[in-house]
């Protein structure tokens, strides 16, 4: 990758021609940072000579907070990790809990979790693609993607009752079954729109000369480097590595689904953009298949340790009442000394939860492997030597969610 | 006939210069209300959303609300700013854009009581050079505004603007040299006259390359997408006007629209025959615009009726009673316009009252010019909401490695063709 101005900075310093460098604080409050990031740039004219990143503006102590909350309450913590695709975080958290407890989730719940995860993934990709367009200077596709995101949020609200902080999973299943008419709404309102918006983005941007000039070769990373930085998700796949947790370690119903893992070639902004576009199409395919195979049955595991008893039992028998009270007030207790790690394919990459249990109703320690943290660590490598205008384009294409950088 | 004093007023050149001033201000300053509304509604139309539709018919009063908001906001001067330059910079941009319009002819020559007049504020025999000279001053407003703000983002924006405007001015000027060769004049009204007749006399057909280079450069000069690096909200927050608020920001904002309006009107005059309708002389005889005037009135009446029908349709909107009132007024306007057109035809104004007929012909020309101008103004909006933004190095590469050689080549080719007598 050739730098826009091929002269080297050291060479100029030797010749004593170097102009005075300017330090520019890009963020934490800047329209293109999409959250509270701070990037300290040393500019030589418009060229980025040095780039330092600083995180911590959104640190909320979530990992510490988890040590004081029960396993079901902690779902609210997962809501606030990646606030653009919340349902995937919910699934990730409770999947790790279920592994800890040794519980199998009934098939209907796994299929519903699959469907809602994919809707959340599409919403998250829209949050990435739209602002990426805005940061390159074209505002119109932003509204097309935002309309789709709005539809996705409407569906999530229809099922879970909340647009963003869904908190819908429970240890052993879901808080409730999907309401009647969910399948029709998804199939009639949402899926056709997904395909349409993706085709629109393709036709508007993939051959647009200015868009190509602004994104091709910008912020490119090789496969080896991407792996060494710990990249996962669409950013890694754009570099050409076909690693997807849904395929590598099939969870939920992904093992039964037929879908492709789109892979890029150059690992640049252009590839990251269109890998996400293609992933949305694949998500739509997964949703279609999941609905065609959606089984009937309960959405909660038949395990008295973790699942609330039936309401009739609670109001009719003292044992049921006590059972209900125990689970609501104290929550399920995990096995003593168990350590487990489980991960899901979040919208930005592998989202993993490590839980250490000491036998109480609360995690002894919880740790999140958030994908953005690893992706963001490569930012100085991607933008050093490039122009200032490339920085927002790269940051947006990495889809940095500040909530994933600081927990 | 008509009293002496009326005739005196009509034959005074000041009358027509003043009327030209009115047209110029309507197209620029008053027009800003329409332009901002058009930009917002146009953007909304392209982006599949309603846009401002609450205040007034089709939301047009929103622009006034915006202006009042800007005017009543606190005017902040940042600490460490050069106060004097900070205050002067917005005025420079606005003044420059408004000055250019002085030499633009809004109509062709028309005859009143044996004297010839033209709707033009200042009839300079170097009109074209004046435009080039004045428009190069626009860079001072942006560059000084960014520099005096004591803000790094503003500074970057103003540096970009300096480089951008100077680079693109060269191709802009050079593209017009080809046009000069073809028309063999520097007076704008003579350029329009050179384009009368068939549509292939238009500048865009005769010098297509010059047109493309001029259009692109004028987008760069007006700092519009895809050349809006000067403000570049995603990189530089708001570029050179980051530290401006209240009416000082308003002046920059209005200056941009005035600049666009001037660019659009120049495009029409230089390349699209100005007030001229192709083949008008062949079809409508020796005084086509005088003949066309009543039909213009009938057309306006039809447009009013369509808008009236649209506003009076029952729909879920506030101010329904206002809409009905508007529809009623529009129907009245349509009726009067049609009646006037009928009177004009029935009274045989063209032969009976020649001075009125020639004023009507002038009005027709102004309206033709404005209609063409409206298309090019819309093109600015259309492009803005369609294209991404260039990067700084790509902008420079386009300016110096593509546009400049093309403009030079264009001069050579045009010169040879003019020598050979093809153009």
């Amino acid at each position: 990758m050739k730098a826009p101005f091929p002269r080297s900075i050291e060479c100029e310093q030797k010749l004593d021609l170097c102009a005075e460098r300017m330090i520019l604080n890009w963020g934490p409050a800047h329209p293109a940072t999409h959250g509270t990031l701070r990037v300290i740039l040393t500019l030589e004219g418009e060229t980025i000579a040095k780039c330092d990143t600083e995180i911590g503006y959104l640190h909320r102590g979530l990992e510490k907070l988890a040590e004081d909350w029960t396993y079901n309450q902690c779902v609210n913590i997962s809501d606030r990790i990646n606030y653009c695709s919340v349902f995937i975080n919910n699934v990730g958290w409770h999947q790790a809990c279920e592994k800890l407890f040794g519980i199998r989730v009934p098939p209907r719940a796994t299929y519903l979790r699959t469907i809602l995860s994919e809707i959340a993934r599409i919403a998250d990709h829209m949050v990435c693609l739209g602002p990426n367009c805005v940061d390159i200077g074209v505002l119109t596709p932003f509204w097309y993607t935002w309309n789709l995101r709005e539809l996705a949020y409407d569906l999530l609200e229809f099922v879970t009752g909340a647009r963003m902080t869904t908190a819908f999973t429970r240890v052993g299943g879901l808080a409730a079954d999907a309401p009647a008419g969910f399948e029709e709404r998804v199939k009639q309102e949402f899926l056709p729109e997904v395909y349409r918006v993706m085709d629109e983005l393709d036709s508007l941007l993939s051959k647009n000369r200015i868009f190509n000039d602004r994104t091709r070769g910008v912020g490119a990373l090789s496969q080896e480097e991407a792996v060494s930085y710990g990249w996962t998700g669409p950013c890694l796949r754009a570099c050409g590595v076909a690693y997807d947790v849904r395929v590598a370690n099939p969870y939920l119903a992904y093992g039964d689904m037929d879908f492709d893992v789109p892979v890029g070639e150059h690992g640049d902004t252009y590839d990251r953009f269109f890998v996400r576009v293609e992933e949305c199409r694949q998500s739509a395919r997964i949703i279609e298949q999941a609905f065609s195979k959606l089984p009937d049955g309960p959405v909660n595991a038949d395990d008295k340790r973790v699942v609330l008893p039936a309401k009739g039992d609670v109001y009719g028998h003292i044992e049921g009442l006590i059972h209900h009270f125990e689970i609501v007030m104290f929550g399920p207790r995990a096995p003593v000394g168990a350590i487990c790690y489980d991960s899901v394919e979040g919208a930005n990459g592998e989202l993993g939860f490590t839980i250490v249990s000491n036998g109480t109703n609360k995690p002894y320690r919880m740790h999140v492997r958030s994908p953005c943290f690893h992706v963001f660590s490569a930012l100085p490598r991607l933008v050093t030597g490039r122009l200032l205008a490339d920085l927002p384009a790269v940051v947006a294409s990495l889809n940095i969610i500040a909530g994933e950088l600081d927990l | 006939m008509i009293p002496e004093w009326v005739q005196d007023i009509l034959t005074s050149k000041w009358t027509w210069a003043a009327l030209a001033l009115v047209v110029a201000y309507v197209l620029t300053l008053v027009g800003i209300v329409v332009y901002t509304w058009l930009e917002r509604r146009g953007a909304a139309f392209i982006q599949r959303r309603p846009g401002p539709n609450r205040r007034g018919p089709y939301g047009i009063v929103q622009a006034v609300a915006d202006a009042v908001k800007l005017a009543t906001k606190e005017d902040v001067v940042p600490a460490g700013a050069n106060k004097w330059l900070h205050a002067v910079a917005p005025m420079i941009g606005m003044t420059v854009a408004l000055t250019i319009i002085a030499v633009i002819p809004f109509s062709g020559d028309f005859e009143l009581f044996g004297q010839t007049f033209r709707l033009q504020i200042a009839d300079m025999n170097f009109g074209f050079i004046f435009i080039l000279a004045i428009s190069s001053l626009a860079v001072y407003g942006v560059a000084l505004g960014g520099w005096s703000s004591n803000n790094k983002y503003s500074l970057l924006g103003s540096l970009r603007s300096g480089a951008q405007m100077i680079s693109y001015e060269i191709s802009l000027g050079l593209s017009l040299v080809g046009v000069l060769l073809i028309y063999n004049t520097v007076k704008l009204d003579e350029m329009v006259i050179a384009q009368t007749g068939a549509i292939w006399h238009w500048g865009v057909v005769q010098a297509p390359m010059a047109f493309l280079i001029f259009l692109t450069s004028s987008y760069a000069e007006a700092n519009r997408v895809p050349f809006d690096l000067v403000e570049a909200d995603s990189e530089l927050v708001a570029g050179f006007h980051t530290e401006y608020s209240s009416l000082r920001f308003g002046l920059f904002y209005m200056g941009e629209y005035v600049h666009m309006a001037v660019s659009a009107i120049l495009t029409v005059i230089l390349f699209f025959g100005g007030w001229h309708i192709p083949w008008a002389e062949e079809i409508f005889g020796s005084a086509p615009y005088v003949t066309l005037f009543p039909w213009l009135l009938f057309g306006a009446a039809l447009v009013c009726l369509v808008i009236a029908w649209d506003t009076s349709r029952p729909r879920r909107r506030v101010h329904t009673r206002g809409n009905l009132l508007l529809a009623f007024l529009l129907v009245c306007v349509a009726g009067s316009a049609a009646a006037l057109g009928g009177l004009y035809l029935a009274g045989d104004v063209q032969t009976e009252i020649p001075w009125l007929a020639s004023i009507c012909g002038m009005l027709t020309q102004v309206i033709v010019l404005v209609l063409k101008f409206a298309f090019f103004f819309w093109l600015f909006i259309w492009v803005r909401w369609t294209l991404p933004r260039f990067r700084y190095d790509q902008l420079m590469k386009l300016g110096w490695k593509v546009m400049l050689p093309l403009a030079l080549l264009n001069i050579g080719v045009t010169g040879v063709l003019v020598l050979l007598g093809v153009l």
Side-chain angles (χ1 to χ4, degrees):
Chain A
M1 186 57 235
K2 222 170 75 177
F5 295 126
R7 60 208 159 80
S8 90
I9 291 154
E10 290 76 18
C11 163
E12 275 204 351
Q13 278 172 335
K14 274 180 201 152
L15 292 168
D16 201 25
L17 288 171
C18 189
E20 199 182 326
R21 292 188 183 179
M22 182 168 87
I23 292 180
L24 186 71
N25 263 307
W26 199 78
H30 185 284
T33 54
H34 310 303
T36 44
L37 320 167
R38 184 178 175 206
V39 182
I40 305 151
L41 300 169
T42 310
L43 293 178
E44 190 205 335
E46 289 244 343
T47 316
I48 298 171
K50 191 160 167 275
C51 166
D52 290 315
T53 56
E54 188 173 317
I55 62 170
Y57 287 94
L58 210 59
H59 183 76
R60 296 147 295 175
L62 291 183
E63 285 183 358
K64 188 70 188 165
L65 196 59
E67 292 166 19
D68 228 19
W69 283 7
T70 67
Y71 290 98
N72 272 333
Q73 285 172 332
C74 280
V75 74
N76 294 303
I77 288 171
S78 75
D79 277 353
R80 283 147 183 88
I81 296 171
N82 176 351
Y83 32 74
C84 297
S85 52
V86 162
F87 193 82
I88 302 180
N89 306 339
N90 293 170
V91 172
W93 165 249
H94 272 140
Q95 197 167 286
C97 291
E98 282 145 12
K99 195 171 172 184
L100 189 74
F101 284 81
I103 294 168
R104 281 184 65 84
V105 180
R108 184 170 174 85
T110 54
Y111 272 80
L112 280 176
R113 281 181 177 188
T114 310
I115 292 165
L116 290 169
S117 292
E118 292 310 308
I119 293 175
R121 189 183 315 282
I122 291 172
D124 189 290
H125 283 354
M126 290 304 103
V127 175
C128 172
L129 297 179
N132 200 351
C133 295
V134 174
D135 289 347
I136 290 168
V138 51
L139 259 92
T140 298
F142 169 78
W143 296 96
Y144 297 167
T145 60
W146 230 243
N147 278 344
L148 184 59
R149 170 182 172 271
E150 214 44 48
L151 285 178
Y153 275 10
D154 281 351
L155 286 172
L156 288 170
E157 189 187 13
F158 183 58
V159 179
T160 69
R163 281 160 51 85
M164 287 182 84
T165 49
T166 53
F168 194 59
T169 55
R170 296 288 180 270
V171 180
L174 296 171
D177 202 343
F182 176 54
E183 183 174 352
E184 288 70 35
R185 275 192 73 174
V186 173
K187 281 187 172 170
Q188 284 161 17
E189 293 172 22
F190 185 61
L191 292 179
E193 195 69 8
V194 174
Y195 291 118
R196 202 171 64 85
V197 171
M198 294 311 132
D199 290 347
E200 261 172 356
L201 287 178
D202 247 348
S203 57
L204 270 171
L205 297 170
S206 62
K207 290 191 184 66
N208 184 310
R209 177 65 191 273
I210 303 176
F211 185 82
N212 272 268
D213 283 352
R214 285 297 306 275
T215 54
R216 278 192 194 265
V218 173
L221 200 64
S222 68
Q223 290 188 12
E224 295 74 33
E225 274 184 290
V227 172
S228 77
Y229 273 112
W231 277 22
T232 47
C235 294
L236 178 69
R237 292 194 280 276
C239 300
V241 184
Y243 174 72
D244 188 325
V245 183
R246 292 175 293 177
V247 177
N249 176 27
Y251 59 99
L252 292 184
Y254 290 114
D256 306 337
M257 301 293 161
D258 174 31
F259 65 100
D260 302 325
V261 177
V263 172
E265 209 178 324
H266 303 104
D268 52 12
T269 304
Y270 184 90
D271 280 356
R272 286 194 282 272
F273 191 93
F274 283 102
V275 159
R276 283 200 167 87
V277 169
E278 188 52 37
E279 267 187 29
C280 289
R281 291 203 183 98
Q282 298 302 329
S283 293
R285 270 180 72 193
I286 295 173
I287 296 170
E288 279 169 0
Q289 293 172 43
F291 270 121
S292 67
K293 295 176 182 170
L294 182 66
D296 286 332
V299 292
N300 273 306
D302 186 20
D303 190 325
K304 288 199 163 55
R305 286 182 302 158
V306 296
V307 177
L308 287 176
K311 278 284 180 280
D313 214 21
V314 176
Y315 295 127
H317 306 279
I318 187 66
E319 293 83 3
L321 185 65
I322 291 168
H323 184 192
H324 188 274
F325 180 81
E326 282 283 318
I327 286 180
V328 169
M329 293 307 290
F330 306 113
R333 282 186 167 73
V336 183
I339 300 177
C340 93
Y341 171 81
D342 205 0
S343 64
V344 290
E345 178 69 21
N348 290 322
E350 183 170 342
L351 174 73
F353 289 88
T354 306
I355 308 172
V356 180
S357 144
N358 60 355
T360 62
N361 53 354
K362 292 161 188 164
Y364 176 70
R365 175 83 171 90
M366 182 264 254
H367 177 72
V368 184
R369 186 237 181 257
S370 58
C372 273
F373 181 76
H374 301 265
V375 172
F376 190 57
S377 65
L379 184 70
R381 160 76 186 74
L382 296 180
V383 297
T384 307
R386 302 208 61 95
L387 289 178
L388 177 62
D390 289 333
L391 179 67
V394 170
V395 169
S397 77
L398 297 176
N399 195 18
I400 304 300
I401 307 279
E404 282 196 353
L405 297 178
D406 319 308
L407 289 159
Chain B
M1 262 286 279
I2 55 169
E4 190 84 347
W5 61 274
V6 174
Q7 197 171 331
D8 280 349
I9 289 176
L10 283 177
T11 52
S12 160
K13 65 174 182 178
W14 297 109
T15 310
W16 302 107
L19 192 62
L21 203 65
V22 169
V23 174
Y25 276 162
V26 165
L27 277 184
T28 52
L29 294 177
V30 181
I32 288 169
V33 173
V34 182
Y35 304 152
T36 52
W37 170 82
L38 191 70
E39 173 115 84
R40 297 178 67 177
R41 291 287 291 201
F45 167 67
I46 289 170
Q47 295 165 351
R48 235 186 273 135
R49 58 192 175 87
N53 63 352
R54 296 284 132 173
R55 291 280 84 86
Y58 304 98
I60 196 154
V61 183
Q62 184 67 41
V64 180
D66 286 352
V68 171
K69 181 208 73 173
L70 269 184
T72 51
K73 269 189 152 181
E74 187 191 353
D75 184 15
V76 182
V77 181
N82 186 326
K83 286 200 178 69
W84 193 76
L85 285 179
H86 191 262
V88 164
M91 300 176 198
I92 297 177
M94 190 70 174
T95 313
V96 164
L98 282 176
T99 311
I100 295 174
I101 216 148
V103 291
I104 286 173
F106 296 107
S107 82
D109 289 345
F110 56 96
E111 217 169 87
L112 284 179
F113 309 108
Q115 296 182 45
T116 311
F117 300 95
R118 193 188 313 124
L119 207 60
Q120 190 176 16
I121 299 172
D123 182 14
M124 300 187 196
N125 54 6
F126 53 90
F128 186 80
I129 312 289
F130 178 80
I131 290 174
L132 290 183
I134 293 293
S135 69
S136 6
L137 295 176
V139 67
Y140 284 109
V142 177
L144 290 178
W147 179 79
S148 66
S149 297
N150 189 28
N151 178 317
K152 287 172 180 173
Y153 291 113
S154 303
L155 182 66
L156 281 173
S158 66
L159 286 175
R160 282 181 179 189
S161 85
Q164 172 183 333
M165 287 174 125
I166 288 167
S167 311
Y168 278 79
E169 212 156 77
I170 293 171
S171 5
L172 184 96
L174 287 178
S175 77
L176 294 178
V177 173
V179 180
L180 288 189
L181 287 173
I182 294 170
Y183 299 144
N184 203 16
T185 173
V186 288
K187 291 186 74 177
L188 291 170
D189 51 300
E190 286 176 12
M191 287 184 176
V192 178
I193 292 165
Q195 298 177 61
T196 35
I199 200 165
W200 49 83
H201 293 164
W202 277 11
V204 65
V205 185
Q206 303 235 326
M209 184 54 80
F211 164 67
L212 285 178
I213 296 170
F214 176 82
L215 194 72
T216 318
S217 308
S218 63
Y219 279 59
E221 289 283 300
N223 295 324
R224 287 285 288 190
V225 170
F227 304 103
D228 69 333
L229 291 88
V230 175
E231 10 200 306
D233 56 317
S234 60
E235 303 144 28
L236 301 184
V237 190
F240 68 96
H241 60 61
T242 307
E243 294 288 1
Y244 277 92
S245 56
S246 185
L247 269 186
R248 294 190 199 193
F249 165 73
L251 270 182
F252 271 130
Y253 186 75
M254 292 194 288
E256 182 184 326
Y257 283 93
V258 174
H259 223 106
M260 281 157 67
V262 171
S263 294
I265 211 162
L266 272 180
T267 314
V268 172
I269 293 216
L270 292 172
F271 297 99
F272 286 84
W275 55 80
H276 164 250
I277 302 172
W279 292 294
E281 278 78 11
E282 276 104 285
I283 300 170
F284 302 106
S286 59
Y289 302 101
V290 178
T291 320
L292 273 173
F293 183 70
W295 301 101
L296 200 75
L297 286 178
F298 296 144
L302 195 67
V303 170
C304 283
L305 282 180
V306 170
I307 298 175
W309 168 77
D310 191 54
T311 42
S312 63
R313 270 190 308 164
R315 63 175 76 159
R316 254 181 206 230
R317 276 176 33 184
V318 285
H319 291 303
T320 311
R321 204 177 295 159
N323 283 340
L324 283 177
L325 183 69
L326 178 81
F328 175 71
L329 286 175
L330 281 169
V331 170
C332 293
V333 170
S336 349
L340 276 179
L343 269 179
Y344 187 93
L345 280 181
D348 204 7
V349 172
Q350 210 168 333
T351 47
E352 297 294 319
I353 323 170
W355 62 271
L356 185 61
S358 86
I359 291 175
C360 290
M362 179 266 287
L363 285 178
T364 315
Q365 289 181 334
V366 173
I367 289 164
V368 170
L369 184 76
V370 168
L371 287 178
K372 288 181 183 175
F373 155 81
F375 173 76
F376 282 96
F377 198 91
W378 167 247
L379 196 66
F380 267 102
I381 293 169
W382 192 357
V383 167
R384 167 159 184 191
W385 300 105
T386 310
L387 287 185
R389 179 189 304 128
F390 278 109
R391 200 171 61 203
Y392 182 68
D393 59 323
Q394 293 163 353
L395 179 93
M396 287 294 135
K397 212 182 278 172
L398 182 75
W400 291 98
K401 290 189 179 166
V402 181
M403 307 266 284
L404 183 65
L406 274 180
L408 287 171
L409 187 74
N410 179 53
I411 295 176
V413 172
T414 317
V416 169
L417 288 178
V418 168
L419 261 186
L420 293 174
V422 181
L423 290 173

